[in-house]
Amino acid sequence: MPLLTFTHDLGDGKHAFGELVLNRPQALNSTNLEMAELLSKQLLAWQHDDRIAFVVMRGEGERAFCAGGDIVSIYRSLTEHPDVAQNGDHYAYQFFRAEYSVNHLLHYYTKPVVALGQGVVMGGGVGLFMGASHRVVFPTTRYAMPEVGIGLFPDVAGTYLLGRLAGGVGEFLTLTGSSITAQDCGFLGLADWYIQDLDAKKIVEILPSLLPTDLGNPTLALNAALRSLSTPYQFEESAVWQNYDVLRKLANPVSVESFFQDAEELISQQKSPWFEQGLALGSKGSMLSRTISLALVQQNRSKNIAQTLGRDLWVAIQCCAHGDFKEGVRALLIDKDKNPQWQPLEHDVRQYWQPAWESPALALSLPD
């Protein structure tokens, strides 16, 4: 099963908490359609179960919380059935719709959710992690939205998140796909607690013993429990903190080209391997995807989660039907030549973020 579920009794004899284990360790716990559907079903069941006080979510094994969506399965579905545009029966459409529905459910969940972001937290994993009320990072956490490198964009409301970081920082992480650490997450407000000496599975085991017998307010009880396990962040170890002043100079770029031109001019004065590696990585990404991503980061600053996720479905399908997604996955994960042949940016790209569903039933309309 791609998702394991458990309930753990609490000391008051009346309540329990639910545990969700993303169980595809061989694929770094990447989400597929079945996992997304199971997540929604279980979260909804627990939301309406008065006995369940809160939910804890983790990945199986120590390597990853969740490395994103199962893009290989999406690629294969597109190869076998290219007619993905306006096709509600297509695997790619059903996957993205199910994934974004889970993201929405987590953001608006009525009970606390603890996300234990041990190891890789990337792409769709960020979507699950960012929706939790209590976000925990570890020394092994590697957090990124690297979609421009595979011809996609920071979906799962990633552009909503990145657009709300300090100007320049969000654009850099969006356009380069750079990986950041637990210290960066703490500095940027992307995580709440840093736990250094315990792994995710052990935290679940000892959590009941850290909660009061009379649970009272679960949110406050969890705050106290996680605080007792946490270690203060060391922001001076954060690459984002070290490069913050330079990153801020990259705020509000008028285009992808101008962003990278300005960033290249700053390299000589910054002399930061992390900064240079990020620019080198980003310059290899799809220009179409980077253009789409920058537009969405700027536009979604005025949108809410539901609006962002609703439009993400359209954008994702356009990337599958007309964009660079298939070529990006082919080059990285299928043929593994790491030599994608990106299409030139010669047409009006606004169609990618202006939904035009032929049937209203295809749109993902989510409550605010």
Side-chain angles (χ1 to χ4, degrees):
M1 289 288 288
L3 181 71
L4 303 178
T5 64
F6 306 93
T7 56
H8 303 271
D9 291 333
L10 296 176
D12 62 2
K14 298 182 294 184
H15 294 98
F17 72 89
E19 180 187 7
L20 297 170
V21 182
L22 311 180
N23 187 39
R24 301 185 69 227
Q26 75 285 358
L28 298 179
N29 300 318
S30 61
T31 56
N32 58 17
L33 177 58
E34 183 182 7
M35 183 192 289
E37 290 176 340
L38 289 171
L39 278 167
S40 281
K41 181 179 179 180
Q42 190 61 68
L43 283 166
L44 286 170
W46 281 340
Q47 183 163 253
H48 297 104
D49 185 344
D50 291 340
R51 184 168 172 266
I52 299 298
F54 60 88
V55 176
V56 178
M57 182 166 46
R58 67 177 180 89
E60 178 59 32
E62 299 181 355
R63 296 174 61 202
F65 170 69
C66 174
D70 183 1
I71 57 177
V72 171
S73 292
I74 300 171
Y75 172 88
R76 289 173 178 156
S77 76
L78 294 170
T79 301
E80 295 171 7
H81 306 285
D83 59 332
V84 64
Q86 307 288 352
N87 184 354
D89 294 325
H90 200 286
Y91 177 89
Y93 173 88
Q94 293 181 353
F95 169 77
F96 286 121
R97 187 181 182 103
E99 182 183 31
Y100 302 161
S101 296
V102 173
N103 300 143
H104 179 265
L105 178 57
L106 284 167
H107 278 282
Y108 292 91
Y109 207 61
T110 58
K111 296 179 180 181
V113 177
V114 180
L116 300 175
Q118 182 174 355
V120 176
V121 183
M122 293 187 180
V126 171
L128 296 175
F129 188 79
M130 68 183 273
S133 59
H134 294 68
R135 303 161 300 172
V136 181
V137 287
F138 299 79
T140 60
T141 298
R142 293 297 177 269
Y143 184 110
M145 295 295 286
E147 284 80 3
V148 295
I150 57 166
L152 201 57
F153 69 104
D155 62 340
V156 297
T159 54
Y160 170 95
L161 176 77
L162 294 164
R164 282 161 172 74
L165 299 180
V169 177
E171 288 91 338
F172 184 88
L173 296 179
T174 298
L175 296 175
T176 66
S178 293
S179 173
I180 59 176
T181 67
Q183 304 306 326
D184 298 306
C185 289
F187 175 64
L188 294 173
L190 299 174
D192 304 299
W193 310 105
Y194 174 53
I195 297 181
Q196 185 172 345
D197 300 322
L198 298 170
D199 65 19
K201 190 173 183 179
K202 186 64 176 179
I203 291 170
V204 174
E205 291 176 5
I206 68 173
L207 191 55
S209 68
L210 302 175
L211 298 171
T213 302
D214 182 7
L215 187 61
N217 185 318
T219 296
L220 297 180
L222 284 169
N223 286 347
L226 294 171
R227 185 181 299 113
S228 72
L229 299 175
S230 68
T231 300
Y233 289 105
Q234 302 296 322
F235 291 153
E236 65 273 13
E237 298 177 6
S238 159
V240 175
W241 181 85
Q242 295 165 6
N243 292 273
Y244 189 74
D245 290 342
V246 169
L247 291 172
R248 294 286 282 125
K249 295 178 182 178
L250 298 172
N252 302 315
V254 297
S255 67
V256 173
E257 294 89 345
S258 69
F259 174 88
F260 279 89
Q261 288 170 3
D262 292 345
E264 289 290 344
E265 293 176 3
L266 292 170
I267 283 181
S268 59
Q269 60 179 279
Q270 190 61 12
K271 296 181 180 178
S272 162
W274 178 80
F275 188 84
E276 291 185 34
Q277 290 166 9
L279 292 182
L281 178 66
S283 66
K284 297 177 182 178
S286 160
M287 178 57 79
L288 173 59
S289 289
R290 285 183 285 165
T291 302
I292 294 168
S293 300
L294 179 59
L296 292 176
V297 163
Q298 294 170 338
Q299 294 174 26
N300 286 336
R301 288 179 177 134
S302 63
K303 305 295 184 182
N304 60 33
I305 286 288
Q307 292 168 330
T308 302
L309 288 169
R311 184 161 61 168
D312 278 359
L313 180 60
W314 171 264
V315 182
I317 296 304
Q318 298 312 299
C319 289
C320 289
H322 310 295
D324 282 327
F325 176 71
K326 275 184 65 178
E327 175 61 12
V329 177
R330 179 208 64 76
L332 182 66
L333 296 174
I334 306 300
D335 297 337
K336 301 182 180 180
D337 56 38
K338 297 184 179 180
N339 185 32
Q341 302 302 302
W342 305 126
Q343 58 183 290
L345 197 64
E346 296 176 340
H347 54 283
D348 186 351
V349 299
R350 287 176 293 181
Q351 62 177 313
Y352 283 87
W353 60 76
Q354 294 177 345
W357 296 110
E358 293 177 357
S359 168
L362 291 172
L364 182 59
S365 299
L366 299 165
D368 295 343

